[in-house]
Amino acid sequence: MKVEQISIFIENKSGRLAEVTEALGDAGVNIRALSLADTSDFGILRLIVDKTDLAKSTLKERGFTVNKTEVVAVEVPDRPKGLFGILQVLDRASVNVEYMYAFVERCGGNAVIIFRFDNPEEAIKVLTQHNVNVLQGDRIYSM
Amino acid sequence: MIWNDEFETLPKEAIESLQLKRLKQTIERVYATVPFYRNSFKEANVTPESIKSLDDLRRLPFTLKSDMRDNYPYGLFAVPLDQIVRIHASSGTTGKPTVVGYTRRDIKMWAELMARSFVAAGAHRGDVIHNAYGYGLFTGGLGAHYGAEKLGASVIPMSGGNTRKQIMIMQDFGSTVLTCTPSYSLYLAEAAAEEGVNIQDLKLRVGIFGAEPWTEEMRREIEAKLNIKAIDIYGLSEILGPGVAIECHEAQHGLHIWEDHFIPEIINPDTGEVLPDGELGELVITTITKEGIPMIRYRTRDITRLIAEPCICGRTHRRIARMSGRTDDMLIIRGVNVFPSQIESVLVSIEGVEPHYQLIVEREENLDTLEIQVEVNEQTFSDEIKVLQDLSSRIRHEIKDLLGITCKVRLVEPKTIARSEGKAKRVVDRRKESQ
């Protein structure tokens, strides 16, 4: 039920983000979702791509520090309070969200949001108990 | 094992009488042959006849690196060029290189002292010595090379650079002893890992590391990563090259300085006053057997102390403690003395942090600022900002605890800090540029 995400350490220097996307493009890797968290000195680029391992090895070869982590893709009803409903479920179960970002594409009539939890198993259990659709990795990579 | 039992285990009194005899000869010779020394002795009101005891040494003036530059290139040579069989020079990063010349006998003596050093480090005949010190004007490569041959080991004259090939040769030739700078040994381990080679599976047993200051923490890191015994060696071209002093593998505590060839003193770098054994100060060396360029009270700029206590290895020569820095490397940041090695020991003590770092010192509105650039690797990197920020603040706090100064920690991408194949450049002091 989990989705593989890669994260890349990027110094705040012009051109580094372009280099990442160029390298991935050259390797034929397509980006499905992304989020960039930044501080004054560095940023962390988080990506969900169609070919995770290829992306990771390509970037490592180019000298980037790359990590693979597991995140959870959740289908969120595309209407007011759609996201609130899901966060409320998580909050009531005391599941903490480390960070989250939106998916590029929609799934049917729904938006897709990527969550990073400190306890993903617990989060998935809570969400499915409340009939929230959690998307499989394979589905996400090929969307 | 000891290479030269007779000389390495001489009793203290015998060393001292040998030193006095050789010192007198050296003083007479430089007085007669080197105008620079004759003039400086005259200015200090000393003649060769006035040197009657080892204590009289302190009446002689110091020799500085700038004296070598002022007499560039051959002004300090004590023999004509037709007796000089080899010329080396320092890199000259801060001006003209300092040029040194060796007679045939100097080269033989150097090889002898390097052979002693190899044996003290635990190397022996039959070892395959992988010499990755740079060959050329730098004394490291050829100095270690001649010593390895004298020892009767098989020496691979790798020189620095060409890291992939170094790893291949180490695997294929079965290198057992590695000689290079400490930072290059870690670079080799890193590069080997990238090639999918586990450097711990190689036959390497001992590493002999010098030419740049390093710390006890870095030794532990090297010993763990390469699965070898890491030995500290000391030398400088002005005195000889590598092999002036080395740790013994038995104690790995302090470097035996070959006292039958050199007289070490420790001085207060500010006043020039000679300090007793055990006190920290600047190392001053007088050579007493060298023919090409004898050095009288050469100020090395290296900070250490003399250890007079007997060593478990049986060698009687005093030891110098691991260099704690250089007087010219020492940074004064907001009035606090800071040695790069102190910062290094903090970084290496934090799990997962690479010992690749650079210190950037600047002055903003008359206030010194220190930025420590630290490389992020896969072990320390996280997809969560807070983990990285915790890492920076932990480094910041530990530096503050140790040195009492506030610094900025900048996490940088791997391999962005230059890996020199010779000496690592740890400090960028921009205050000098802006003045």
Side-chain angles (χ1 to χ4, degrees):
Chain A
M1 296 288 255
K2 277 174 276 182
V3 179
E4 285 185 334
Q5 169 195 268
I6 56 169
S7 38
I8 303 123
F9 180 82
I10 296 181
E11 262 179 73
N12 269 1
K13 282 192 298 201
S14 61
R16 290 306 273 165
L17 198 51
E19 277 176 53
V20 172
T21 49
E22 185 191 23
L24 291 178
D26 288 347
V29 172
N30 197 14
I31 299 170
R32 312 297 312 144
L34 69 85
S35 111
L36 182 63
D38 64 336
T39 70
S40 57
D41 293 336
F42 63 86
I44 300 173
L45 177 65
R46 303 163 186 138
L47 296 176
I48 290 171
V49 297
D50 56 351
K51 299 172 196 105
T52 308
D53 292 330
L54 177 63
K56 191 173 175 215
S57 60
T58 301
L59 292 172
K60 273 184 74 167
E61 266 167 39
R62 299 268 187 126
F64 287 96
T65 305
V66 189
N67 264 3
K68 195 157 85 172
T69 38
E70 286 180 330
V71 291
V72 179
V74 179
E75 242 182 274
V76 180
D78 192 6
R79 55 171 162 74
K81 283 205 173 171
L83 178 58
F84 172 69
I86 286 169
L87 291 175
Q88 197 176 34
V89 164
L90 293 167
D91 181 38
R92 283 186 184 147
S94 296
V95 173
N96 188 34
V97 178
E98 297 288 350
Y99 58 77
M100 52 181 266
Y101 55 97
F103 208 72
V104 182
E105 281 175 54
R106 295 155 60 90
C107 179
N110 294 326
V112 178
I113 289 190
I114 303 294
F115 283 91
R116 168 79 154 101
F117 299 109
D118 54 359
N119 186 349
E121 282 77 19
E122 177 66 14
I124 291 169
K125 205 178 92 193
V126 169
L127 290 168
T128 44
Q129 274 169 2
H130 289 80
N131 298 322
V132 176
N133 197 12
V134 174
L135 296 167
Q136 300 279 358
D138 292 344
R139 176 99 187 271
I140 293 289
Y141 309 138
S142 61
M143 254 174 127
Chain B
M1 233 193 67
I2 289 177
W3 170 257
N4 186 332
D5 218 27
E6 184 192 346
F7 281 96
E8 291 180 61
T9 61
L10 274 183
K12 184 179 163 68
E13 301 71 39
I15 290 179
E16 286 179 353
S17 69
L18 184 64
Q19 282 181 328
L20 181 60
K21 188 182 107 196
R22 290 178 166 176
L23 175 66
K24 283 180 175 172
Q25 289 168 349
T26 301
I27 297 299
E28 270 167 33
R29 204 149 41 80
V30 296
Y31 194 81
T33 56
V34 186
F36 164 79
Y37 282 121
R38 191 162 50 243
N39 294 337
S40 71
F41 290 1
K42 277 181 180 163
E43 267 174 46
N45 274 322
V46 272
T47 56
E49 298 73 43
S50 56
I51 303 300
K52 295 195 168 67
S53 72
L54 283 179
D55 277 345
D56 289 334
L57 181 60
R58 60 185 70 180
R59 298 173 56 192
L60 297 171
F62 295 116
T63 305
L64 310 173
K65 197 178 184 96
S66 58
D67 294 325
M68 302 195 77
R69 293 216 184 96
D70 295 345
N71 290 282
Y72 175 85
Y74 298 140
L76 291 185
F77 283 31
V79 296
L81 267 188
D82 67 2
Q83 289 181 42
I84 295 289
V85 297
R86 175 117 55 86
I87 295 170
H88 280 287
S90 72
S91 52
T93 37
T94 47
K96 284 276 193 192
T98 46
V99 181
V100 289
Y102 301 77
T103 65
R104 202 173 295 281
R105 223 186 93 201
D106 289 339
I107 296 283
K108 250 180 90 177
M109 178 269 279
W110 189 7
E112 152 79 15
L113 297 192
M114 260 319 289
R116 280 188 197 179
S117 302
F118 273 119
V119 171
H124 46 69
R125 210 188 161 95
D127 265 320
V128 177
I129 298 181
H130 187 104
N131 185 20
Y133 281 117
Y135 281 66
L137 281 180
F138 173 58
T139 51
L142 283 165
H145 183 101
Y146 274 60
E149 282 190 354
K150 173 100 185 177
L151 171 67
S154 313
V155 51
I156 309 174
M158 275 311 300
S159 196
N162 213 342
T163 303
R164 280 178 178 225
K165 192 165 186 186
Q166 302 255 10
I167 293 158
M168 184 193 86
I169 298 259
M170 277 199 259
Q171 281 180 289
D172 296 351
F173 294 12
S175 313
T176 54
V177 177
L178 171 65
T179 53
C180 61
T181 58
S183 55
Y184 191 57
S185 77
L186 285 174
Y187 182 61
L188 277 170
E190 234 174 53
E194 274 167 25
E195 301 267 303
V197 175
N198 186 355
I199 202 160
Q200 297 210 346
D201 293 342
L202 304 183
K203 285 191 178 161
L204 283 180
R205 193 182 78 245
V206 178
I208 300 172
F209 305 116
E212 66 187 18
W214 51 310
T215 56
E216 207 46 44
E217 288 79 5
M218 188 136 159
R219 184 208 312 264
R220 282 196 285 274
E221 173 109 8
I222 292 171
E223 292 195 328
K225 276 200 174 155
L226 280 82
N227 190 26
I228 57 173
K229 197 156 209 175
I231 299 289
D232 193 9
I233 188 168
Y234 176 76
L236 63 170
S237 64
E238 295 89 329
I239 295 301
L240 187 70
V244 173
I246 191 157
E247 284 179 334
C248 54
H249 67 104
E250 291 94 337
Q252 278 184 302
H253 177 68
L255 299 85
H256 292 280
I257 179 160
W258 304 123
E259 289 195 275
D260 50 339
H261 296 269
F262 312 109
I263 303 178
E265 298 171 274
I266 298 293
I267 62 159
N268 175 328
D270 299 324
T271 64
E273 174 207 358
V274 177
L275 302 173
D277 285 354
E279 280 193 35
L280 201 65
E282 180 179 335
L283 177 65
V284 170
I285 300 178
T286 299
T287 70
I288 48 174
T289 52
K290 217 163 69 151
E291 292 180 332
I293 301 196
M295 274 289 153
I296 309 300
R297 303 195 84 198
Y298 184 72
R299 289 188 62 160
T300 65
R301 300 288 169 199
D302 290 313
I303 305 280
T304 182
R305 61 191 174 84
L306 275 167
I307 304 171
E309 289 77 48
C311 182
I312 52 167
C313 72
R315 290 174 184 82
T316 50
H317 299 231
R318 280 179 296 173
R319 289 169 282 169
I320 48 177
R322 173 183 286 283
M323 297 299 145
S324 43
R326 286 179 57 79
T327 55
D328 47 5
D329 242 17
M330 189 181 80
L331 291 160
I332 301 177
I333 299 170
R334 273 169 266 155
V336 180
N337 293 353
V338 177
F339 288 107
S341 56
Q342 293 175 298
I343 309 244
E344 178 182 304
S345 60
V346 167
L347 295 178
V348 180
S349 70
I350 296 175
E351 177 77 24
V353 173
E354 296 281 347
H356 299 295
Y357 64 94
Q358 200 162 42
L359 311 179
I360 315 281
V361 190
E362 281 177 287
R363 182 163 289 154
E364 283 167 17
E365 295 173 3
N366 291 320
L367 191 68
D368 298 332
T369 60
L370 169 66
E371 176 180 289
I372 306 178
Q373 296 188 344
V374 183
E375 287 184 4
V376 161
N377 61 14
E378 271 181 44
Q379 210 186 330
T380 47
F381 177 50
S382 159
D383 58 318
E384 292 178 55
I385 296 257
K386 70 175 180 207
V387 175
L388 293 179
Q389 284 177 335
D390 286 351
L391 177 71
S392 320
S393 69
R394 184 170 161 205
I395 295 172
R396 217 163 37 236
H397 281 130
E398 295 204 8
I399 298 286
K400 172 99 184 167
D401 279 351
L402 182 74
L403 301 170
I405 55 172
T406 327
C407 65
K408 179 179 182 347
V409 174
R410 181 195 282 274
L411 300 177
V412 297
E413 287 174 19
K415 310 272 167 10
T416 48
I417 294 170
R419 300 289 197 278
S420 76
E421 302 197 313
K423 306 185 186 200
K425 182 165 171 55
R426 300 299 195 193
V427 178
V428 178
D429 194 342
R430 298 204 179 112
R431 292 176 299 187
K432 289 171 187 155
E433 294 157 22
S434 58
Q435 270 168 8

